[in-house]
Coordinates of all heavy atoms in Angstrom, one line a residue:
M1 N -18.0 40.8 -2.2 CA -18.9 40.2 -3.1 C -18.6 38.7 -3.2 O -17.5 38.2 -2.8 CB -18.7 40.8 -4.5 CG -17.5 40.3 -5.3 SD -17.2 41.1 -6.9 CE -17.6 39.7 -8.0
N2 N -19.6 38.0 -3.6 CA -19.4 36.5 -3.7 C -19.5 36.1 -5.1 O -20.2 36.6 -5.9 CB -20.5 35.8 -2.9 CG -20.2 35.8 -1.4 OD1 -19.4 36.6 -0.9 ND2 -20.8 34.9 -0.6
V3 N -18.8 35.0 -5.4 CA -18.8 34.4 -6.7 C -19.1 32.9 -6.5 O -18.9 32.4 -5.4 CB -17.6 34.6 -7.6 CG1 -17.3 36.1 -7.8 CG2 -16.4 34.0 -6.8
N4 N -19.5 32.3 -7.6 CA -19.6 30.8 -7.5 C -18.4 30.1 -8.0 O -17.8 30.4 -9.0 CB -20.8 30.4 -8.3 CG -22.1 30.8 -7.7 OD1 -22.2 31.0 -6.5 ND2 -23.1 31.0 -8.5
C5 N -17.9 29.2 -7.2 CA -16.8 28.4 -7.5 C -17.0 27.8 -8.9 O -18.0 27.1 -9.1 CB -16.5 27.4 -6.5 SG -15.2 26.2 -6.9
P6 N -16.1 27.9 -9.9 CA -16.4 27.3 -11.2 C -16.4 25.8 -11.2 O -17.0 25.2 -12.0 CB -15.1 27.8 -12.0 CG -14.7 29.0 -11.3 CD -15.0 28.8 -9.8
T7 N -15.8 25.2 -10.2 CA -15.8 23.8 -10.1 C -17.0 23.2 -9.4 O -17.6 22.3 -9.9 CB -14.5 23.3 -9.4 OG1 -13.4 23.9 -10.1 CG2 -14.4 21.8 -9.3
C8 N -17.3 23.7 -8.2 CA -18.3 23.1 -7.4 C -19.5 24.0 -7.3 O -20.5 23.6 -6.6 CB -17.8 22.7 -6.1 SG -17.4 24.0 -5.0
Q9 N -19.4 25.2 -7.8 CA -20.6 26.1 -7.8 C -20.9 26.6 -6.4 O -21.9 27.3 -6.2 CB -21.8 25.5 -8.4 CG -21.6 24.9 -9.7 CD -21.1 25.9 -10.7 OE1 -21.5 27.0 -10.8 NE2 -20.0 25.5 -11.5
K10 N -20.0 26.4 -5.5 CA -20.3 26.9 -4.1 C -20.0 28.4 -4.0 O -19.0 28.8 -4.7 CB -19.3 26.1 -3.1 CG -19.5 26.5 -1.7 CD -18.6 25.6 -0.9 CE -17.7 26.3 0.0 NZ -16.9 25.4 0.8
S11 N -20.8 29.0 -3.3 CA -20.6 30.5 -3.2 C -19.4 30.7 -2.4 O -19.2 30.2 -1.3 CB -21.8 31.1 -2.5 OG -21.6 32.5 -2.4
V12 N -18.5 31.6 -2.9 CA -17.2 31.8 -2.2 C -17.0 33.3 -2.3 O -17.2 34.0 -3.3 CB -16.1 31.0 -2.9 CG1 -16.0 31.3 -4.3 CG2 -14.8 31.3 -2.2
E13 N -16.5 33.8 -1.2 CA -16.2 35.2 -1.2 C -15.0 35.6 -2.1 O -13.9 35.0 -2.0 CB -15.9 35.7 0.3 CG -15.7 37.2 0.4 CD -15.4 37.6 1.8 OE1 -15.4 36.7 2.7 OE2 -15.3 38.8 2.0
W14 N -15.2 36.6 -2.9 CA -14.1 37.1 -3.7 C -13.3 38.1 -2.9 O -13.8 39.2 -2.8 CB -14.7 37.6 -5.0 CG -13.6 38.1 -5.9 CD1 -12.8 39.2 -5.8 CD2 -13.2 37.5 -7.2 NE1 -11.9 39.3 -6.8 CE2 -12.1 38.3 -7.7 CE3 -13.5 36.3 -7.8 CZ2 -11.5 38.0 -8.9 CZ3 -12.9 36.0 -9.0 CH2 -11.9 36.8 -9.5
S15 N -12.2 37.7 -2.5 CA -11.4 38.7 -1.7 C -9.9 38.5 -2.0 O -9.5 37.4 -2.5 CB -11.6 38.6 -0.2 OG -11.1 37.4 0.3
T16 N -9.1 39.4 -1.7 CA -7.7 39.3 -2.0 C -7.0 38.3 -1.1 O -5.9 37.9 -1.3 CB -7.0 40.7 -1.9 OG1 -7.3 41.2 -0.6 CG2 -7.5 41.6 -2.9
T17 N -7.7 38.0 0.0 CA -7.2 37.0 0.9 C -7.4 35.6 0.4 O -6.8 34.7 1.0 CB -7.7 37.2 2.3 OG1 -9.2 37.1 2.2 CG2 -7.4 38.6 2.8
N18 N -8.3 35.5 -0.5 CA -8.5 34.1 -1.1 C -7.6 33.9 -2.3 O -8.0 34.3 -3.4 CB -10.0 34.0 -1.4 CG -10.3 32.6 -2.1 OD1 -9.4 31.7 -2.0 ND2 -11.5 32.5 -2.7
E19 N -6.5 33.3 -2.1 CA -5.6 33.1 -3.2 C -6.1 32.1 -4.2 O -5.5 32.0 -5.3 CB -4.2 32.6 -2.6 CG -4.3 31.2 -2.0 CD -3.0 30.8 -1.4 OE1 -2.0 30.7 -2.2 OE2 -2.8 30.6 -0.2
Y20 N -7.1 31.4 -4.0 CA -7.7 30.5 -4.9 C -8.8 31.0 -5.7 O -9.4 30.3 -6.5 CB -8.1 29.2 -4.2 CG -6.9 28.6 -3.4 CD1 -7.1 28.5 -2.0 CD2 -5.8 28.3 -4.0 CE1 -6.1 28.0 -1.2 CE2 -4.7 27.7 -3.2 CZ -4.9 27.6 -1.8 OH -3.9 27.1 -1.1
R21 N -9.2 32.3 -5.5 CA -10.3 32.8 -6.2 C -10.2 32.7 -7.7 O -9.0 32.8 -8.2 CB -10.5 34.3 -5.8 CG -9.4 35.2 -6.2 CD -9.6 36.6 -5.7 NE -8.6 37.5 -6.2 CZ -7.4 37.7 -5.7 NH1 -7.0 36.9 -4.7 NH2 -6.5 38.5 -6.2
P22 N -11.2 32.5 -8.4 CA -12.6 32.4 -7.9 C -13.0 31.0 -7.4 O -14.1 30.8 -7.1 CB -13.4 32.7 -9.2 CG -12.6 32.0 -10.3 CD -11.1 32.2 -9.8
F23 N -12.0 30.2 -7.1 CA -12.3 28.9 -6.6 C -12.5 28.9 -5.1 O -11.9 29.8 -4.4 CB -11.2 27.9 -7.0 CG -11.0 27.8 -8.5 CD1 -10.0 28.5 -9.0 CD2 -11.9 27.0 -9.3 CE1 -9.8 28.5 -10.4 CE2 -11.7 27.0 -10.6 CZ -10.6 27.7 -11.2
C24 N -13.2 28.0 -4.6 CA -13.4 28.0 -3.1 C -12.2 27.4 -2.4 O -12.1 27.6 -1.2 CB -14.7 27.2 -2.8 SG -14.6 25.4 -3.1
S25 N -11.4 26.6 -3.1 CA -10.3 26.0 -2.4 C -9.3 25.6 -3.4 O -9.5 25.6 -4.6 CB -10.9 24.7 -1.7 OG -11.3 23.8 -2.7
K26 N -8.2 25.2 -2.9 CA -7.1 24.7 -3.8 C -7.5 23.5 -4.6 O -7.1 23.3 -5.7 CB -5.9 24.4 -2.9 CG -4.7 24.0 -3.7 CD -3.5 23.7 -2.9 CE -2.3 23.2 -3.7 NZ -1.1 22.9 -2.9
K27 N -8.3 22.6 -3.9 CA -8.7 21.4 -4.6 C -9.5 21.8 -5.8 O -9.3 21.2 -6.9 CB -9.6 20.6 -3.6 CG -8.9 20.0 -2.5 CD -7.8 19.0 -2.9 CE -7.1 18.4 -1.7 NZ -6.0 17.5 -2.0
C28 N -10.4 22.7 -5.7 CA -11.3 23.1 -6.9 C -10.4 23.7 -7.9 O -10.6 23.5 -9.1 CB -12.4 24.0 -6.4 SG -13.8 23.1 -5.6
Q29 N -9.5 24.5 -7.5 CA -8.6 25.1 -8.5 C -7.8 24.1 -9.2 O -7.7 24.1 -10.5 CB -7.6 26.0 -7.7 CG -6.7 26.8 -8.7 CD -5.7 27.6 -7.9 OE1 -5.0 27.1 -7.0 NE2 -5.5 28.9 -8.3
L30 N -7.3 23.1 -8.5 CA -6.5 22.0 -9.2 C -7.4 21.2 -10.1 O -7.0 20.8 -11.2 CB -5.9 21.1 -8.1 CG -4.8 21.7 -7.3 CD1 -4.4 20.8 -6.2 CD2 -3.7 22.1 -8.1
I31 N -8.6 21.0 -9.7 CA -9.5 20.3 -10.6 C -9.7 21.0 -11.9 O -9.6 20.5 -13.0 CB -10.9 20.1 -9.9 CG1 -10.7 19.1 -8.7 CG2 -12.0 19.6 -10.9 CD1 -12.0 19.0 -7.8
D32 N -9.9 22.3 -11.7 CA -10.2 23.1 -12.9 C -9.0 23.2 -13.8 O -9.0 23.2 -15.0 CB -10.6 24.5 -12.5 CG -11.1 25.3 -13.7 OD1 -12.3 25.0 -14.1 OD2 -10.4 26.1 -14.2
L33 N -7.8 23.2 -13.2 CA -6.6 23.3 -14.0 C -6.2 21.9 -14.6 O -5.2 21.8 -15.3 CB -5.5 23.8 -13.1 CG -5.6 25.2 -12.6 CD1 -4.5 25.6 -11.7 CD2 -5.7 26.2 -13.8
G34 N -6.9 20.9 -14.2 CA -6.6 19.6 -14.7 C -5.4 19.0 -14.0 O -4.7 18.1 -14.6
E35 N -5.0 19.5 -12.9 CA -3.8 19.0 -12.2 C -4.2 18.0 -11.1 O -3.3 17.6 -10.3 CB -3.0 20.1 -11.6 CG -2.5 21.0 -12.7 CD -1.7 22.2 -12.1 OE1 -1.6 22.3 -10.9 OE2 -1.2 23.0 -12.9
W36 N -5.5 17.7 -11.0 CA -5.9 16.8 -9.9 C -5.2 15.5 -10.0 O -4.7 15.0 -8.9 CB -7.4 16.6 -10.1 CG -8.0 15.7 -9.1 CD1 -8.0 14.4 -9.1 CD2 -8.6 16.2 -7.9 NE1 -8.7 13.9 -8.0 CE2 -9.1 15.0 -7.2 CE3 -8.9 17.4 -7.4 CZ2 -9.7 15.1 -6.0 CZ3 -9.6 17.5 -6.2 CH2 -10.0 16.3 -5.5
A37 N -5.0 15.0 -11.1 CA -4.4 13.7 -11.2 C -2.9 13.7 -10.7 O -2.4 12.7 -10.2 CB -4.4 13.1 -12.6
T38 N -2.3 14.8 -10.9 CA -0.9 14.9 -10.5 C -0.8 15.2 -9.0 O 0.2 14.9 -8.4 CB -0.1 15.9 -11.3 OG1 -0.8 17.2 -11.2 CG2 -0.1 15.6 -12.8
E39 N -1.8 15.9 -8.6 CA -1.8 16.2 -7.1 C -2.0 15.0 -6.3 O -1.4 14.8 -5.3 CB -2.9 17.2 -6.9 CG -3.1 17.5 -5.4 CD -2.1 18.5 -4.9 OE1 -1.2 18.9 -5.6 OE2 -2.2 18.9 -3.7
S40 N -2.9 14.1 -6.7 CA -3.2 12.9 -6.0 C -3.4 11.8 -7.0 O -4.3 11.8 -7.8 CB -4.5 13.1 -5.2 OG -4.8 11.9 -4.5
H41 N -2.5 10.8 -6.9 CA -2.5 9.7 -7.9 C -3.6 8.7 -7.7 O -3.9 8.0 -8.6 CB -1.1 9.1 -7.9 CG 0.0 10.0 -8.4 ND1 0.1 10.3 -9.7 CD2 0.9 10.6 -7.7 CE1 1.2 11.1 -9.8 NE2 1.6 11.3 -8.6
V42 N -4.0 8.6 -6.5 CA -5.1 7.7 -6.2 C -6.4 8.3 -6.2 O -6.9 8.9 -5.3 CB -4.9 7.1 -4.7 CG1 -5.9 6.0 -4.5 CG2 -3.4 6.5 -4.6
I43 N -7.0 8.2 -7.4 CA -8.3 8.8 -7.6 C -9.2 7.7 -8.2 O -8.9 7.1 -9.2 CB -8.2 10.0 -8.6 CG1 -7.5 11.1 -7.9 CG2 -9.6 10.4 -9.0 CD1 -8.2 11.8 -6.8
S44 N -10.4 7.6 -7.6 CA -11.4 6.9 -8.3 C -12.7 7.7 -8.2 O -12.8 8.5 -7.2 CB -11.6 5.5 -7.6 OG -12.0 5.7 -6.3
A45 N -13.5 7.6 -9.2 CA -14.6 8.5 -9.2 C -15.5 8.2 -8.0 O -15.9 7.1 -7.7 CB -15.5 8.1 -10.4
P46 N -15.6 9.3 -7.2 CA -16.4 9.1 -6.0 C -17.9 9.0 -6.2 O -18.4 9.6 -7.2 CB -16.1 10.4 -5.2 CG -15.7 11.4 -6.3 CD -15.1 10.6 -7.4
T47 N -18.5 8.2 -5.4 CA -19.9 8.1 -5.5 C -20.5 8.4 -4.2 O -19.8 8.4 -3.2 CB -20.3 6.7 -6.0 OG1 -19.9 5.7 -5.0 CG2 -19.8 6.3 -7.3
N48 N -21.8 8.6 -4.2 CA -22.4 9.0 -3.0 C -22.7 7.9 -2.0 O -22.8 8.1 -0.8 CB -23.8 9.7 -3.3 CG -23.5 11.1 -3.9 OD1 -22.4 11.6 -3.8 ND2 -24.6 11.6 -4.5
H49 N -22.8 6.7 -2.6 CA -23.4 5.6 -1.7 C -22.4 4.5 -1.6 O -22.4 3.9 -0.5 CB -24.7 5.1 -2.3 CG -25.7 6.2 -2.5 ND1 -26.3 6.9 -1.4 CD2 -26.3 6.8 -3.6 CE1 -27.1 7.8 -1.8 NE2 -27.2 7.8 -3.1
S50 N -21.7 4.1 -2.6 CA -20.9 3.0 -2.5 C -19.6 3.1 -3.3 O -19.6 3.9 -4.2 CB -21.6 1.7 -3.0 OG -21.9 1.8 -4.3
G51 N -18.6 2.4 -2.9 CA -17.4 2.5 -3.6 C -16.6 3.8 -3.5 O -15.6 4.0 -4.2
A52 N -17.0 4.6 -2.6 CA -16.3 5.9 -2.4 C -14.9 5.6 -1.9 O -14.7 5.0 -0.9 CB -17.1 6.8 -1.5
H53 N -14.0 6.1 -2.6 CA -12.6 5.9 -2.2 C -11.9 7.2 -2.6 O -11.3 7.3 -3.6 CB -12.0 4.7 -3.0 CG -10.6 4.4 -2.5 ND1 -10.2 3.9 -1.3 CD2 -9.4 4.7 -3.1 CE1 -8.9 3.8 -1.2 NE2 -8.4 4.3 -2.3
I54 N -11.9 8.1 -1.6 CA -11.4 9.4 -1.9 C -10.2 9.7 -1.1 O -10.3 9.8 0.1 CB -12.5 10.5 -1.6 CG1 -13.8 10.1 -2.3 CG2 -12.0 11.8 -2.1 CD1 -15.0 11.0 -1.9
E55 N -9.1 9.8 -1.8 CA -7.8 10.0 -1.1 C -7.7 11.5 -0.9 O -6.8 12.2 -1.5 CB -6.7 9.4 -1.8 CG -6.7 7.9 -1.9 CD -6.5 7.3 -0.5 OE1 -5.8 7.9 0.3 OE2 -7.1 6.2 -0.3
L56 N -8.5 12.1 -0.1 CA -8.4 13.5 0.2 C -8.4 13.8 1.6 O -8.9 13.0 2.4 CB -9.6 14.2 -0.5 CG -9.7 14.1 -2.0 CD1 -11.0 14.7 -2.5 CD2 -8.5 14.8 -2.6
D57 N -7.8 14.9 2.0 CA -7.8 15.2 3.4 C -8.8 16.3 3.7 O -8.9 16.8 4.9 CB -6.4 15.7 3.7 CG -6.0 16.9 2.9 OD1 -6.7 17.3 1.9 OD2 -4.9 17.5 3.1
E58 N -9.6 16.6 2.8 CA -10.6 17.7 3.1 C -12.0 17.1 3.0 O -12.5 16.7 1.9 CB -10.4 18.9 2.1 CG -9.1 19.5 2.3 CD -8.9 20.7 1.3 OE1 -9.9 21.1 0.8 OE2 -7.8 21.1 1.2
E59 N -12.7 17.1 4.1 CA -14.0 16.6 4.1 C -15.0 17.5 3.3 O -16.0 17.0 2.8 CB -14.6 16.6 5.5 CG -13.8 15.5 6.4 CD -14.4 15.5 7.8 OE1 -15.4 16.2 8.1 OE2 -14.0 14.7 8.6
A60 N -14.6 18.7 3.1 CA -15.4 19.6 2.3 C -15.6 19.1 0.9 O -16.7 19.2 0.3 CB -14.8 21.0 2.3
I61 N -14.6 18.5 0.4 CA -14.7 18.0 -1.0 C -15.7 16.9 -1.1 O -16.6 16.9 -2.0 CB -13.3 17.5 -1.5 CG1 -12.3 18.7 -1.5 CG2 -13.5 16.9 -2.9 CD1 -12.7 19.8 -2.5
A62 N -15.6 16.0 -0.1 CA -16.6 14.9 -0.1 C -18.0 15.4 0.0 O -18.9 15.0 -0.6 CB -16.2 14.0 1.0
A63 N -18.1 16.4 0.8 CA -19.4 17.0 1.1 C -19.9 17.7 -0.2 O -21.1 17.6 -0.6 CB -19.4 18.1 2.1
Q64 N -19.0 18.2 -1.0 CA -19.4 18.8 -2.2 C -19.9 17.8 -3.2 O -20.9 18.0 -4.0 CB -18.3 19.6 -2.8 CG -18.0 20.9 -2.1 CD -16.6 21.4 -2.4 OE1 -16.0 21.1 -3.4 NE2 -16.1 22.3 -1.6
F65 N -19.3 16.7 -3.2 CA -19.7 15.6 -4.1 C -21.1 15.1 -3.7 O -21.8 14.7 -4.6 CB -18.7 14.4 -4.0 CG -17.5 14.7 -4.8 CD1 -16.2 14.6 -4.2 CD2 -17.5 15.0 -6.2 CE1 -15.1 14.8 -5.0 CE2 -16.4 15.2 -6.9 CZ -15.1 15.1 -6.3
E66 N -21.4 15.2 -2.5 CA -22.7 14.7 -2.0 C -23.7 15.7 -2.4 O -24.9 15.4 -2.5 CB -22.7 14.4 -0.6 CG -21.8 13.2 -0.2 CD -21.8 12.8 1.2 OE1 -22.5 13.5 2.0 OE2 -21.2 11.8 1.6
Q67 N -23.3 16.9 -2.4 CA -24.3 18.0 -2.6 C -24.7 18.1 -4.1 O -25.8 18.6 -4.4 CB -23.7 19.3 -2.2 CG -23.7 19.5 -0.7 CD -22.9 20.7 -0.3 OE1 -22.6 21.5 -1.1 NE2 -22.6 20.8 1.0
Q68 N -23.9 17.6 -4.9 CA -24.2 17.6 -6.3 C -23.8 16.3 -7.0 O -22.8 15.7 -6.6 CB -23.6 18.8 -7.0 CG -22.1 18.8 -6.8 CD -21.5 20.0 -7.5 OE1 -22.0 20.5 -8.5 NE2 -20.4 20.6 -7.0
S69 N -24.4 16.0 -8.0 CA -24.1 14.8 -8.7 C -23.2 15.0 -9.9 O -22.8 14.1 -10.6 CB -25.4 14.1 -9.2 OG -26.0 14.9 -10.1
K70 N -22.7 16.2 -10.1 CA -21.9 16.5 -11.2 C -20.6 15.7 -11.1 O -19.8 15.8 -10.1 CB -21.5 18.0 -11.2 CG -20.6 18.4 -12.3 CD -20.3 19.9 -12.2 CE -19.3 20.3 -13.3 NZ -18.9 21.7 -13.2
P71 N -20.3 14.9 -12.0 CA -19.1 14.1 -12.0 C -17.9 14.8 -12.5 O -17.8 15.2 -13.7 CB -19.4 12.9 -13.0 CG -20.4 13.5 -13.9 CD -21.1 14.6 -13.2
F72 N -17.0 15.0 -11.6 CA -15.8 15.8 -12.0 C -14.8 14.9 -12.8 O -14.1 15.4 -13.7 CB -15.0 16.2 -10.7 CG -15.8 17.2 -9.9 CD1 -15.7 17.3 -8.5 CD2 -16.7 18.1 -10.5 CE1 -16.4 18.1 -7.8 CE2 -17.4 19.0 -9.7 CZ -17.3 19.0 -8.4
F73 N -14.9 13.7 -12.6 CA -13.9 12.8 -13.2 C -14.6 11.8 -14.1 O -14.3 10.6 -14.1 CB -13.1 12.1 -12.1 CG -12.6 13.0 -11.1 CD1 -13.2 12.9 -9.8 CD2 -11.6 13.9 -11.4 CE1 -12.7 13.8 -8.8 CE2 -11.2 14.8 -10.4 CZ -11.8 14.7 -9.1
D74 N -15.5 12.3 -14.8 CA -16.4 11.5 -15.7 C -15.5 10.7 -16.7 O -15.9 9.6 -17.1 CB -17.4 12.3 -16.4 CG -18.6 11.5 -16.8 OD1 -18.8 10.4 -16.2 OD2 -19.3 11.9 -17.7
E75 N -14.5 11.3 -17.1 CA -13.7 10.8 -18.2 C -12.7 9.7 -17.7 O -12.2 8.9 -18.5 CB -12.9 11.9 -18.9 CG -13.8 12.9 -19.6 CD -13.0 14.0 -20.2 OE1 -11.8 14.1 -20.0 OE2 -13.6 14.8 -21.0
S76 N -12.5 9.7 -16.4 CA -11.5 8.7 -15.9 C -12.3 7.6 -15.2 O -12.4 6.5 -15.7 CB -10.7 9.4 -14.9 OG -11.4 9.8 -13.8
Ligands
ZN101 ZN1 -15.2 24.7 -5.2

């Protein structure tokens, strides 16, 4: 079965092999847990077109930001 990642809404398979379920990735799990800031200290709100400065090693996250305009770090 598939569930939607609570953070990015991406469809992700719910399986025992996915240790981050119901999240699609560790990144999304950390975001949801509010540990993003401690995981990576260099964070600026990513934008789609300019000023993007994302200190992440996963292109998937950047792609997710582009797929949706939902601001994860609206408060920062
Ligand atoms: Zn996700």
Side-chain angles (χ1 to χ4, degrees):
M1 83 183 246
N2 281 20
V3 297
N4 289 331
C5 171
T7 301
C8 72
Q9 307 304 314
K10 181 172 128 182
S11 181
V12 57
E13 183 179 3
W14 181 287
S15 70
T16 54
T17 58
N18 177 12
E19 62 181 300
Y20 306 120
R21 66 186 186 279
F23 304 96
C24 68
S25 66
K26 182 179 181 180
K27 294 294 183 184
C28 282
Q29 183 184 48
L30 290 176
I31 290 171
D32 191 76
L33 293 176
E35 295 180 0
W36 181 275
T38 59
E39 174 81 357
S40 176
H41 294 285
V42 184
I43 292 289
S44 61
T47 60
N48 288 344
H49 301 296
S50 63
H53 183 74
I54 309 174
E55 295 293 328
L56 296 174
D57 57 354
E58 297 181 15
E59 293 182 359
I61 297 296
Q64 287 165 16
F65 281 125
E66 293 183 356
Q67 288 171 9
Q68 59 179 326
S69 59
K70 179 181 178 182
F72 295 149
F73 313 108
D74 202 26
E75 297 177 349
S76 65

